[in-house]
Amino acid sequence: MPDIPKDELNDFKNSLKNDIEIDPIKSLIIISKNLLEKGGTRSAIINISAALEYTVERKIKSKFLLKGKAEKSIEKLLNSTKMNFKERCDRTLKKATGKSLVSEYSTEWKKIDDLRKRFRHSIAHSVLEPTYKDTENLISEFENVISIVESF
């Protein structure tokens, strides 16, 4: 297991023992760190990327549902930005939450955008093998942005 605080690890173990559904974002983060520890840098990056993308999607959905927007309408909106993560993190997130990751957290956005281009996209389209240190840094940066989006 990755090095996580003992209380979080105990909560995670208890959830598994008691068949309690684990938050998929937390699960993806833990899996990502575990894969990194095992040397699976490519898979670790894909998992933490999924955690970030799902965090943004989930936040948009939950905020629009609270505003009374129909689920079909939300899905249509999300489908329109499926291949444009920047747009989703900028205008769509702002419409849903009142905050834009791109403009209001530009330093963090630039870091993860660069990391996504350098690593996530390259992994999906090449034989790139990221280093342990690069992957560890990427996971840390993505976790930071996940926390930001979850706070919206």
Side-chain angles (χ1 to χ4, degrees), residues 83-104:
M83 301 302 287
N84 190 343
F85 193 60
K86 182 177 183 179
E87 175 74 18
R88 185 174 278 191
C89 291
D90 189 14
R91 290 188 192 103
T92 309
L93 196 57
K94 185 156 183 108
K95 284 179 188 173
T97 68
K99 295 186 180 191
S100 163
L101 186 58
V102 177
S103 61
E104 294 174 51

Side-chain angles (χ1 to χ4, degrees), residues 16-68:
L16 290 174
K17 286 179 189 174
N18 296 312
D19 226 10
I20 297 171
E21 186 177 334
I22 297 168
D23 178 21
I25 293 167
K26 287 182 181 179
S27 180
L28 285 167
I29 291 169
I30 290 169
I31 290 167
S32 181
K33 290 177 178 181
N34 188 261
L35 286 164
L36 173 62
E37 292 299 318
K38 292 178 179 178
T41 56
R42 291 170 59 92
S43 296
I45 289 172
I46 294 301
N47 274 274
I48 197 69
S49 296
L52 173 61
E53 291 168 22
Y54 183 64
T55 300
V56 172
E57 179 181 316
R58 183 168 78 174
K59 184 57 69 171
I60 290 167
K61 273 185 180 179
S62 69
K63 290 297 186 173
F64 275 142
L65 286 170
L66 285 173
K67 292 178 179 184

Side-chain angles (χ1 to χ4, degrees), residues 99-143:
K99 295 186 180 191
S100 163
L101 186 58
V102 177
S103 61
E104 294 174 51
Y105 295 87
S106 60
T107 302
E108 291 85 352
W109 169 256
K110 286 176 187 168
K111 285 179 189 175
I112 64 155
D113 190 42
D114 179 56
L115 290 168
R116 287 181 86 240
K117 288 174 185 170
R118 283 183 32 221
F119 295 103
R120 189 257 178 229
H121 297 338
S122 294
I123 286 168
H125 303 288
S126 76
V127 295
L128 175 70
E129 282 292 338
T131 66
Y132 182 96
K133 188 150 187 76
D134 284 338
T135 306
E136 186 176 46
N137 176 57
L138 183 141
I139 290 170
S140 176
E141 294 294 341
F142 278 43
E143 271 191 288

Side-chain angles (χ1 to χ4, degrees), residues 65-76:
L65 286 170
L66 285 173
K67 292 178 179 184
K69 200 165 182 87
E71 207 161 322
K72 282 188 179 192
S73 175
I74 298 167
E75 288 301 322
K76 185 177 178 182

